[in-house]
Amino acid sequence: MSRLVAVGTALPDHAHSQSEICDVIAPLLTQDPVRVALTRRLHTNAGVARRHLALPLDRYAGLTTFGASNDAFLRVGADLAEEAARRALDDAGLEPSDVDHVLVTSVTGIGAPSLDVLLAQRLGMRTDVRRTPSFGWGCAGGAVGLARVDDLLRGRPRDVALLVAVELCSLTLQHGDDSTANLAASGLFGDGAGAVVVVGDEHALARPAPRAPARRTARVVDSRSTLHPGTADDLGWRVGDAGFQVVLSPRLPELVGAHLLGDVKTLLVEHDLTPDDVATWVVHAGGPRIIDSVRDALGLAEQDVHASRTSLRETGNLSSASVLHVLAATLATSTAPPGSAAVLMAFGPGVSTELVLLRLDGVPTALRAVA
């Protein structure tokens, strides 16, 4: 099994309160006073207090074409990918030239060359680095990307892999679209990136530290992907003349809740575990109702989803990068016993549930005093 040795995160510099964003964005979506009032209610109820945006807030009024939005995505996305990746590599004590595989996932922009090429050039990775660009995993990208990196490293156990998730959701803003889905999305999603360094089980960094580590690491034990039939129209994009138009069904939390317990049990039973044996839950901050559905379906305590609520409140839903931000916060603060089980989860178009089973390594010295 592979070992997750470091997580890095990055957010754009342009940070605003939810109310500030709503004041500027709502009139771009609709001039109908009733729909403006609905936009404000949806923003207020999104569980978000603050978000970071790819561009200065006053630039969004002029962002009216897909070409302009995508140009900004490639420029700002490459900056954030580099920042998150450098942080993760620095924490792991590795150089970019040590990376054998890089997987970059995003669902908010496109490019050819893709972001993985831009990132490899910026970091100075080897010219023979193996690259996997991904588009289409949506909010599940951080979880399924980690699972696919683990699959890869099981066949190349001496290698180093870098997973990077970059999402600039604000650049998908659709002017004049006052559909309820678009109004809700305009108050829920934020911009950011996350990166994870994972090594194969024969790499030097996969060996247990002889003393308390400076940070928590985790072993990737297993993963599970589940596509739920009849849900392809509940989440994703419709590509229109102005770019990506959100598809966001109000029944999505119900779908997540209906299937999740069975999916989790199927993953755990092969390792002689039950949900009660899981000490830590790393839950995609998809929105307040998604977090509620996860909590209720699995019978969790509110404390079990505290990191997800906090991430949602402070940054909004970062799509594929969201669960990596929650993972970073969890590893930084968790005092769960070494060897305890953790389940990381996210949900994406399909509708799909993506689960990763982890085993946490030792508690860092700085946290032992509060354990």
Side-chain angles (χ1 to χ4, degrees):
M1 63 186 71
S2 63
R3 187 178 298 269
L4 186 161
V5 296
V7 185
T9 61
L11 295 165
D13 292 333
H14 310 293
H16 298 275
S17 70
Q18 182 79 317
S19 60
E20 289 174 324
I21 295 172
C22 189
D23 287 343
V24 173
I25 297 302
L28 303 180
L29 304 178
T30 180
Q31 297 297 312
D32 181 346
V34 175
R35 302 302 283 175
V36 169
L38 174 60
T39 304
R40 294 191 182 281
R41 289 198 302 273
L42 291 170
H43 282 220
T44 298
N45 296 329
V48 179
R50 187 175 181 82
R51 284 182 285 162
H52 295 250
L53 304 180
L55 302 177
L57 190 51
D58 60 7
R59 291 272 302 278
Y60 287 88
L63 198 69
T64 58
T65 68
F66 181 47
S69 298
N70 203 66
D71 286 346
F73 168 82
L74 291 172
R75 183 180 68 255
V76 180
D79 289 342
L80 290 176
E82 179 183 5
E83 183 179 350
R86 287 193 185 279
R87 286 178 176 168
L89 289 168
D90 286 348
D91 283 352
L94 294 172
E95 298 295 329
S97 58
D98 294 320
V99 175
D100 302 292
H101 312 264
V102 58
L103 188 159
V104 177
T105 183
S106 182
V107 76
T108 51
I110 56 175
S114 48
L115 276 182
D116 53 290
V117 175
L118 304 181
L119 180 62
Q121 293 175 344
R122 284 180 174 226
L123 292 178
M125 292 180 177
R126 302 193 316 266
T127 57
D128 66 345
V129 67
R130 296 167 182 258
R131 299 174 292 103
T132 306
S134 167
F135 179 92
W137 285 335
C139 291
V144 68
L146 180 59
R148 297 295 79 79
V149 162
D150 175 60
D151 290 342
L152 185 154
L153 290 173
R154 288 173 186 262
R156 303 181 70 92
R158 295 183 178 86
D159 285 4
V160 175
L162 176 66
L163 165 67
V164 182
V166 184
E167 302 292 7
L168 303 182
C169 303
S170 70
L171 299 180
T172 68
L173 178 71
Q174 296 291 301
H175 289 244
D177 179 359
D178 69 349
S179 65
T180 301
N182 193 50
L183 301 183
S186 72
L188 178 62
F189 292 95
D191 299 345
V196 181
V197 176
V198 188
V199 300
D201 63 7
E202 294 181 16
H203 190 276
L205 290 180
R207 304 185 189 113
R211 55 186 179 275
R215 63 188 179 280
R216 292 206 85 153
T217 59
R219 288 168 290 152
V220 182
V221 178
D222 200 356
S223 63
R224 176 174 172 79
S225 297
T226 306
L227 282 171
H228 303 296
T231 64
D233 295 331
D234 286 291
L235 180 63
W237 294 126
R238 176 185 176 273
V239 182
D241 293 340
F244 299 128
Q245 298 173 334
V246 70
V247 176
L248 186 63
S249 169
R251 72 173 188 145
L252 187 59
E254 175 187 343
L255 292 172
V256 169
H259 298 283
L260 184 58
L261 181 59
D263 294 339
V264 169
K265 285 183 174 180
T266 300
L267 171 68
L268 295 178
V269 71
E270 295 184 11
H271 303 276
D272 297 322
L273 296 170
T274 69
D276 289 339
D277 297 317
V278 177
T280 304
W281 299 89
V282 183
V283 180
H284 164 56
R289 292 180 60 209
I290 292 292
I291 297 172
D292 288 348
S293 292
V294 171
R295 180 198 61 197
D296 296 345
L298 299 177
L300 305 182
E302 184 61 27
Q303 182 60 31
D304 292 319
V305 294
H306 174 74
S308 303
R309 300 267 192 213
T310 300
S311 181
L312 180 65
R313 183 176 67 251
E314 295 179 353
T315 66
N317 177 348
L318 301 178
S319 190
S320 69
S322 171
V323 77
L324 302 186
H325 279 244
V326 177
L327 175 63
T330 300
L331 293 177
T333 59
S334 171
T335 57
S340 61
V343 172
L344 179 148
M345 68 181 69
F347 314 97
V351 169
S352 69
T353 297
E354 304 293 340
L355 304 172
V356 182
L357 175 61
L358 306 170
R359 286 283 186 182
L360 299 180
D361 293 324
V363 181
T365 304
L367 291 178
R368 289 193 171 187
V370 299

